[in-house]
Amino acid sequence: MTQPAYVIDQMISAKQIAARVEELAEEISRSFQSTEKLVVVGLLRGSFVFIADLVREIDLPVEVDFLEASSYGDSTRSSREVRILKDLSGQIEGRDVLVVEDIVDTGFTLSHVLQLLLARNPARLEVCALLDKPSRREVEIKATWTGFEIPDEFVVGYGIDYAQRNRNLPFIGKVRFT
Ligand code: IMP
Ligand code: MG
């Protein structure tokens, strides 16, 4: 598939991300300190780098699981329709669960995933999102912890893609079409 030409302008450096991840992990560790074993659920695929860094800074016993909801396809517009492509491997009933998401944009994905998980009766369900674009919100929803609030820009890097590319960038950059 041909794609329009674009360049990537750095928005958040690897160093800034690492510092923020450390802070988030500290707050999360404090908040779940009485939890016997936290279930950290990464939403695939965009959160895979973030969750890897985050769990290594969390000072608690954790279990890691993944869930994949359908995303944008290869466009930069949200499709509104959310489908579960890969469900959790484990049970979450009665467990303390932390959902880890890359970006909360319109909020459709997260609200759908939270509804699904709530129906399984976890003891506690919280969300940590690396990025938040509040100006794009269409469903009223807010993550318990947010790494960075960003303006309405399409971003890539640190696990986040544009048409499956640029996930391996160590920083977060905005896509600028040329
Ligand atoms: P929402 O359902 O509109 O909140 O979309 C959330 C999902 O869309 C995120 O988990 C990302 O996978 C994807 N997404 C939203 N904004 C961006 C972006 O700027 N770059 C890449 N993916 C994005
Ligand atoms: Mg996603």
Side-chain angles (χ1 to χ4, degrees):
M1 204 182 81
T2 58
Q3 275 188 279
Y6 63 95
V7 295
I8 297 164
D9 300 322
Q10 181 169 303
M11 183 189 250
I12 308 170
S13 71
K15 215 171 152 188
Q16 286 174 297
I17 298 169
R20 188 69 186 120
V21 168
E22 210 176 295
E23 288 175 355
L24 291 168
E26 230 170 80
E27 289 178 33
I28 289 164
S29 302
R30 208 174 312 131
S31 177
F32 286 101
Q33 60 187 341
S34 55
T35 299
E36 203 178 303
K37 191 162 50 143
L38 177 65
V39 187
V40 183
V41 172
L43 301 192
L44 293 171
R45 283 170 261 175
S47 73
F48 82 104
V49 175
F50 180 38
I51 194 176
D53 283 345
L54 189 69
V55 293
R56 283 180 290 177
E57 298 286 342
I58 293 178
D59 196 15
L60 296 172
V62 298
E63 204 171 300
V64 175
D65 206 340
F66 293 97
L67 186 146
E68 184 171 12
S70 63
S71 65
Y72 283 17
D74 282 350
S75 107
T76 58
R77 300 291 268 325
S78 177
S79 67
R80 254 138 247 258
E81 219 185 280
V82 182
R83 284 174 305 135
I84 300 302
L85 302 179
K86 184 222 169 282
D87 205 341
L88 296 178
S89 298
Q91 309 289 319
I92 57 163
E93 186 171 356
R95 306 286 304 273
D96 284 3
V97 178
L98 176 69
V99 173
V100 176
E101 171 64 311
D102 55 355
I103 309 179
V104 187
D105 190 43
T106 63
F108 281 106
T109 308
L110 194 57
S111 72
H112 184 91
V113 166
L114 292 180
Q115 267 179 46
L116 178 97
L117 297 181
L118 273 175
R120 299 178 188 180
N121 298 312
R124 189 174 161 197
L125 185 61
E126 309 288 354
V127 178
C128 179
L130 178 65
L131 304 175
D132 187 7
K133 294 189 204 170
S135 66
R136 296 257 312 157
R137 200 73 89 256
E138 292 181 40
V139 178
E140 208 182 307
I141 197 153
K142 186 136 182 65
T144 323
W145 294 281
T146 298
F148 302 91
E149 276 194 9
I150 61 167
D152 181 10
E153 302 277 2
F154 198 81
V155 296
V156 292
Y158 197 67
I160 301 162
D161 74 303
Y162 170 44
Q164 301 309 324
R165 293 176 61 180
N166 310 120
R167 290 193 198 273
N168 55 336
L169 287 176
F171 58 87
I172 289 164
K174 59 181 171 191
V175 170
R176 180 161 52 87
F177 295 97
T178 53

